[in-house]
Amino acid sequence: MITLFGNLESGNVHKVAMLFHRLEIPYRRVDVAQPRGEPRHPAFLAVNPIGKVPAVMRDDGDVLTESGAILYHFAQGTALWPDSLRERTEVLRWMFFEQYSHEPALAVMRYLRLFADGPEKYKDRLEELRPRAYHALSVLDRQLDQWKFVVAAKPTIADYALYPYTAWSVESGVALDDFPNILRWLRQLEDEPRFLPLLKDGAAEVVTFARYFDLPA
Ligand SMILES: N[C@@H](CCC(=O)N[C@@H](CS)C(=O)NCC(=O)O)C(=O)O
C-alpha cells in the first residue's frame, strides 16, 4: 500500500490526502509533524532530503515529494489533469502561483499563529505577510469570477492545490468576507464527490513516527 508521510494539520499534506480520497487510492499515513521537528529528523531526511512533508512512498520504494508534483503524478489519466496543452498550462500556472504567491503567505501566517512558540514574537512578520496574503486571495477571487473552478468548468489538481490554505484563511488571520467568489468555490469543491474535509483522516492505517522508523517512543 502507498505510504503518505505527513500530519493532518498540514495543508500541503491535505492536498495529497484529498486527491487519494477522491481517486479511491488506499494509503497508510506515517504521522510526521512539523511542530515536533520530525521533518528534519535524520530518519525522515533519508526519505525526503528536503526535510518537508508531504512525501509519498510507492510500493516499489520510489519516493515522490513536493505536493504539486505528487498531485501531477497521481492525476495522470483522470479528469483532474485536462487533455489540452492550453488547459494543462493553466493548471500549472495556478499551481505555481499557489507555491510562490499564496502558500508562502497564508501557510506561514497560519503556522506562526497556531503552532509557533509565542505568536506575539512574530507580530512584525505577520503584518508583513498580511498584504501578500490579501493580494493572493484577491487574484484568486478575480480568477473565480470568470470560471466555476480555478481553470475550467470542472475541477483540476489546481483546485486541490489551492483548497487547503484558502479554506484555512481565517486561521491565518484573513477573513474571506471580501472574496465572494472564493466562498462560492470552496462550497462547490466541498460538494464534489468523495470530498475529504480538512483535518479528516482518509488513511486506511496510521503509523506513528517512532514505530515506522523504529525509534524509542
Ligand atoms: N513546497 C512544499 C512545501 C512543503 C512544506 O512546507 N511542508 C511543511 C509542512 S506544511 C514542512 O514539512 N515543514 C517542515 C520544515 O520546514 O521543517 C510542498 O508543496 O510539498
Side-chain angles (χ1 to χ4, degrees):
M1 192 188 299
I2 287 174
T3 303
L4 169 63
F5 295 86
N7 56 333
L8 297 182
E9 296 79 16
S10 159
N12 287 309
V13 172
H14 193 72
K15 297 170 193 174
V16 176
M18 285 173 84
L19 186 79
F20 284 172
H21 194 71
R22 163 123 195 192
L23 299 179
E24 300 190 54
I25 298 172
Y27 63 97
R28 68 171 167 170
R29 186 173 64 80
V30 175
D31 201 49
V32 182
Q34 186 177 8
R36 292 194 296 266
E38 289 167 349
R40 303 294 164 125
H41 189 286
F44 182 72
L45 290 175
V47 174
N48 180 11
I50 301 173
K52 291 193 183 279
V53 290
V56 167
M57 190 182 284
R58 298 188 329 180
D59 292 346
D60 60 5
D62 189 19
V63 174
L64 311 177
T65 72
E66 292 296 320
S67 60
I70 300 168
L71 294 182
Y72 167 79
H73 182 88
F74 287 98
Q76 295 307 305
T78 78
L80 298 172
W81 178 244
D83 291 330
S84 86
L85 174 63
R86 188 66 190 92
E87 275 191 346
R88 287 178 176 179
T89 307
E90 281 301 292
V91 171
L92 291 178
R93 173 183 174 221
W94 287 97
M95 290 172 74
F96 291 141
F97 161 80
E98 189 268 344
Q99 285 283 286
Y100 194 75
S101 303
H102 176 278
E103 192 261 17
L106 286 159
V108 172
M109 289 173 78
R110 177 172 172 266
Y111 186 81
L112 295 178
R113 284 167 52 96
L114 265 57
F115 304 107
D117 52 322
E120 332 67 59
K121 275 202 307 214
Y122 304 104
K123 211 169 156 286
D124 292 349
R125 179 102 177 98
L126 285 165
E127 282 318 305
E128 182 197 320
L129 289 171
R130 177 177 300 281
R132 295 195 212 176
Y134 199 88
H135 175 71
L137 292 169
S138 307
V139 170
L140 180 60
D141 196 72
R142 271 203 303 281
Q143 173 73 1
L144 289 165
D145 196 26
Q146 302 170 49
W147 294 103
K148 185 169 176 197
F149 290 95
V150 173
V151 303
K154 289 190 286 187
T156 67
I157 49 173
D159 296 272
Y160 285 81
L162 281 155
Y163 179 83
Y165 290 113
T166 307
W168 266 328
S169 290
V170 174
E171 293 194 355
S172 306
V174 186
L176 288 174
D177 306 340
D178 293 343
F179 307 110
N181 297 309
I182 289 180
L183 288 170
R184 168 193 44 83
W185 164 76
L186 292 173
R187 300 294 90 79
Q188 272 169 209
L189 212 51
E190 288 155 8
D191 286 342
E192 281 290 300
R194 298 192 55 78
F195 171 79
L196 183 69
L198 293 168
L199 298 178
K200 184 151 192 263
D201 208 343
E205 183 194 347
V206 181
V207 184
T208 63
F209 189 86
R211 199 174 110 218
Y212 182 84
F213 290 106
D214 203 13
L215 301 167

